[in-house]
Every structure is written in C-alpha cells, then in structure tokens.
Amino acid sequence: MSDCIFCKIIHGEIPSKKIYEDEELCAFHDVTPQSPVHFLLIPKRHIRNIMEAEMNDTALLGRLLYKAQELAVTLGCGENGARFVINCKKDGGQTVDHLHIHVLGGRYFDWPPG
Ligand code: 5GP
Ligand code: ZN
C-alpha cells in the first residue's frame, strides 16, 4: 500500500535497521524502543491487522510466530524470555495499520498491562 510506513520500509523508501528479510517476512528494530531488544516482524504482504488475516494466511502466520521466537533467541533473549505482542485496531493500541508482531526483551515486563 502506497501510504503505509511499513510497506515503505520493506521497499527501502524509509530507512530502517533491518534484522532479517526473506520472500515473505521482514524484521527491523523499532524506532522508539521500549526495551533493550525491541524489534518488529511483519509480513511483506500488506495485511492491515491480525483480524484481517484469512484462512489462507495460516502458514504465513505460523512462519511469522516461529521466526519471531527464532530472532528473539538470536538477539539474546533465549535464557530470560521476551514479550511477543500483536496490537489490533483502536482498542488494541495499533498505530500502524500493517500487521506486525512486537518482540520486546532484555528487561522484565509486568502483567497485566496498564
Ligand atoms: P503499534 O502501536 O501499531 O503496535 O506499533 C507501531 C510501532 O511502530 C511503534 O512501536 C513505533 O515505534 C513503530 N514505528 C512507527 N514508525 C516507525 C518507523 O518509521 N520506523 C520504525 N523502525 N518503527 C516505527
Ligand atoms: Zn503496509
């Protein structure tokens, strides 16, 4: 989508610190990190949010989740763990309408969220 920040990052039109990329997925550091490790993993295809995913997307979603934990381990979160977050729409606090999973690590996160 032409006015989507994350689509622009995928196409290199907005600079980012990329961590990983393949035909389907792209990971980059969050521009406003909330923890020592904070990256976003996204499908390259523009899916607006997790509720717009379809039955045909289940393999892609599986890969997204698997790659999120794999990258978290690679970035040093294997021992202490990490928080994996998908915000969705207004009540979920989503601000960028391109499906993404946040991976936050390197510090302790309380539960429940405020
Ligand atoms: P959301 O609130 O939609 O779940 O999260 C969007 C995330 O994208 C936020 O954590 C925000 O810091 C991050 N973000 C927004 N714009 C940019 C950008 O241009 N580059 C990068 N790397 N992250 C961004
Ligand atoms: Zn997009």
Side-chain angles (χ1 to χ4, degrees):
M1 238 185 76
S2 57
D3 62 345
C4 169
I5 293 172
F6 288 174
C7 283
K8 286 182 176 166
I9 284 178
I10 290 165
H11 295 118
E13 292 160 23
I14 292 178
S16 70
K17 292 182 184 165
K18 279 193 184 148
I19 299 167
Y20 175 81
E21 188 170 13
D22 63 29
E23 329 73 58
E24 287 186 317
L25 305 175
C26 180
F28 48 90
H29 292 285
D30 197 293
V31 77
T32 313
Q34 303 301 313
S35 48
V37 175
H38 184 180
F39 67 88
L40 305 170
L41 178 63
I42 67 175
K44 286 189 170 174
R45 183 152 57 82
H46 183 86
I47 300 171
R48 284 173 59 85
N49 59 60
I50 190 66
M51 290 180 178
E52 300 228 340
E54 297 177 353
M55 195 64 176
N56 281 342
D57 297 322
T58 53
L60 176 65
L61 296 179
R63 282 206 67 225
L64 187 81
L65 201 51
Y66 183 80
K67 186 54 75 177
Q69 66 78 24
E70 197 177 58
L71 291 173
V73 171
T74 302
L75 293 180
C77 302
E79 191 172 336
N80 288 339
R83 181 67 58 87
F84 299 79
V85 175
I86 298 177
N87 297 324
C88 182
K89 300 190 188 179
K90 182 166 65 72
D91 282 357
Q94 184 175 9
T95 58
V96 177
D97 289 335
H98 182 131
L99 173 60
H100 51 282
I101 180 164
H102 292 258
V103 180
L104 302 119
R107 73 169 172 91
Y108 175 75
F109 282 92
D110 227 341
W111 189 264

